[in-house]
Amino acid sequence: MIFKLIIILSILFLIPVGSFGYIMLERGGGFDYFISTSPLGDISVNTETPDLDNIFDFYLYAFTWLNYYLVQGYYGFSLIIDLDWNWTYGFGNSEFLQRQFLLITGIDIAQDTFQTQIDNIWGKTAQWHSFYGQFANDFGIIGVSILMFILGALLSRIWLSAIYNNNFYGMALLPLFMIMFIFFPANNQIFGYIDTLSYFIFVIFFWYLRGKKY
């Protein structure tokens, strides 16, 4: 029974990985592309692009591309650690909020972000910069670690409210947190867009009010 379960889960895991690999294959991307993304020469590849004449080569290709996608945001974050921090007033964590700040105040804070500072060596819009790097614009490098503890504490309270109090709004927030965590290596997926940002603000407000009744 356990063996069958492992087989089923493995197949379910390999299906989306294979789909991702097929998309990358359609784009015609070889492993040499990884090297070209870093003008500093920090990225190297120890294997050649496979011939893709069998399933093992195909999944080697797919997993290599997947690995690149998962870690490139962390590499972008590593490039900003020693840079000077210019506070972005809480609007620097997403391009959407940066545009709204520019619209309201006429001040372009995008020029103060870490992503703009490293644009010449790690493309601002061409590469991922991770959730951490984007929120570092508002909280600084040390502040991001504090923010993560706060998010973790908030998630624990929401999780408990959903399990023990059957809080509807807590259950509605859990998928949003899962999406947020999954996209940590890539970007600020939840607060970076108006639909998910507004969803988070209103639902967490109602979650708080519901919690006050207990």
Side-chain angles (χ1 to χ4, degrees):
M1 181 63 183
I2 296 179
F3 179 74
K4 290 182 178 180
L5 181 61
I6 293 174
I7 295 297
I8 293 173
L9 291 177
S10 298
I11 294 174
L12 291 176
F13 174 71
L14 289 176
I15 290 175
V17 173
S19 299
F20 174 80
Y22 178 76
I23 294 172
M24 293 298 103
L25 185 60
E26 286 294 298
R27 294 181 180 180
F31 294 167
D32 290 342
Y33 170 76
F34 306 155
I35 301 173
S36 68
T37 57
S38 175
L40 299 178
D42 290 339
I43 299 177
S44 60
V45 181
N46 295 326
T47 183
E48 299 292 333
T49 305
D51 295 330
L52 301 174
D53 52 3
N54 59 68
I55 191 171
F56 298 104
D57 281 351
F58 171 75
Y59 271 99
L60 170 62
Y61 179 86
F63 275 109
T64 303
W65 265 102
L66 181 61
N67 178 71
Y68 174 73
Y69 264 71
L70 289 175
V71 303
Q72 63 171 283
Y74 296 124
Y75 171 70
F77 179 70
S78 72
L79 295 174
I80 72 174
I81 292 178
D82 294 326
L83 299 180
D84 293 331
W85 173 41
N86 301 309
W87 186 41
T88 50
Y89 313 104
F91 291 83
N93 61 80
S94 76
E95 292 191 8
F96 165 72
L97 291 178
Q98 292 169 29
R99 290 193 298 269
Q100 306 315 303
F101 189 83
L102 175 62
L103 181 65
I104 294 172
T105 67
I107 301 174
D108 185 12
I109 59 172
Q111 303 305 312
D112 295 327
T113 63
F114 286 118
Q115 290 71 46
T116 298
Q117 293 185 55
I118 63 172
D119 186 42
N120 62 320
I121 56 175
W122 193 247
K124 178 181 178 182
T125 57
Q127 307 295 338
W128 285 353
H129 290 266
S130 87
F131 176 96
Y132 311 106
Q134 292 177 324
F135 268 95
N137 294 320
D138 298 318
F139 295 92
I141 301 299
I142 297 177
V144 168
S145 62
I146 299 174
L147 173 66
M148 297 310 299
F149 276 108
I150 294 174
L151 284 176
L154 180 60
L155 173 61
S156 69
R157 300 309 303 169
I158 291 172
W159 196 297
L160 290 173
S161 72
I163 294 176
Y164 293 107
N165 298 327
N166 200 29
N167 189 314
F168 171 79
Y169 301 106
M171 289 184 281
L173 282 169
L174 286 177
L176 213 62
F177 269 85
M178 295 305 104
I179 295 173
M180 183 194 305
F181 284 17
I182 289 172
F183 278 89
F184 274 173
N187 54 35
N188 175 19
Q189 186 71 18
I190 298 303
F191 304 116
Y193 305 93
I194 188 170
D195 48 355
T196 46
L197 173 63
S198 57
Y199 178 100
F200 182 86
I201 291 174
F202 283 105
V203 176
I204 204 166
F205 174 72
F206 289 123
W207 169 79
Y208 175 77
L209 292 181
R210 180 70 177 272
K212 297 289 285 186
K213 296 181 179 179
Y214 297 121

